[in-house]
Amino acid sequence: MDILQDSDVQDLRAFDLFNNVPDTFLAEALPSRLTQQVPSGKHLVARGINNTSLFLLVEGQVDIFLDDKDRPLKTVHAGEIIGEISLADQRPATASAVTLTDCKVVVIGEESISKLIVGSHQFAINFIQLITKRFRGVNTQVL
């Protein structure tokens, strides 16, 4: 059986989402290979398409677009998370996320996210905080 690599655990620890979630639990709940190298110009999330993964940007930059023809709404940098809203509400993404540079990304599928939420009270709290932080950021931009 493959086990979660130490380098993957270190990548996860860079994100508040995994604060106070034990390494032993992460090793049980997550697949062995999470980190991917993604070249520039690739879609991580496509507007209008159901998203089934959470993307943790370890290295690189990702542009967020409301429409592929528009200028980017914003650029996401290392340390930020992409895809949490569409993953949580299981509805099509409202924006596209396209790698601006070559990126190192931790990709966690919805089945693993479900295991983390069910198996770790702390992860569930962290996930709720992530989503509410995103909503507060949107509210601040709108107001």
Side-chain angles (χ1 to χ4, degrees), residues 9-109:
V9 173
Q10 287 175 351
D11 288 342
L12 295 174
R13 291 290 173 217
F15 296 87
D16 290 344
L17 184 59
F18 296 95
N19 284 351
N20 300 314
V21 179
D23 289 355
T24 54
F25 176 71
L26 292 175
E28 293 171 8
L30 294 173
S32 60
R33 285 180 222 80
L34 297 173
T35 305
Q36 298 180 12
Q37 297 295 329
V38 182
S40 64
K42 297 293 182 183
H43 274 79
L44 296 178
V45 176
R47 182 176 187 218
I49 304 296
N50 287 340
N51 173 40
T52 59
S53 296
L54 189 67
F55 301 90
L56 289 69
L57 187 56
V58 178
E59 295 173 3
Q61 297 178 329
V62 175
D63 279 339
I64 306 299
F65 296 90
L66 291 179
D67 186 318
D68 286 337
K69 299 173 196 156
D70 289 342
R71 291 179 297 132
L73 178 66
K74 72 181 222 173
T75 299
V76 176
H77 302 274
E80 296 187 66
I81 297 175
I82 302 163
E84 71 281 358
I85 301 299
S86 57
L87 182 64
D89 73 4
Q90 297 183 334
R91 299 192 60 195
T94 57
S96 293
V98 180
T99 54
L100 176 63
T101 63
D102 292 347
C103 294
K104 180 179 178 183
V105 182
V106 173
V107 181
I108 305 175

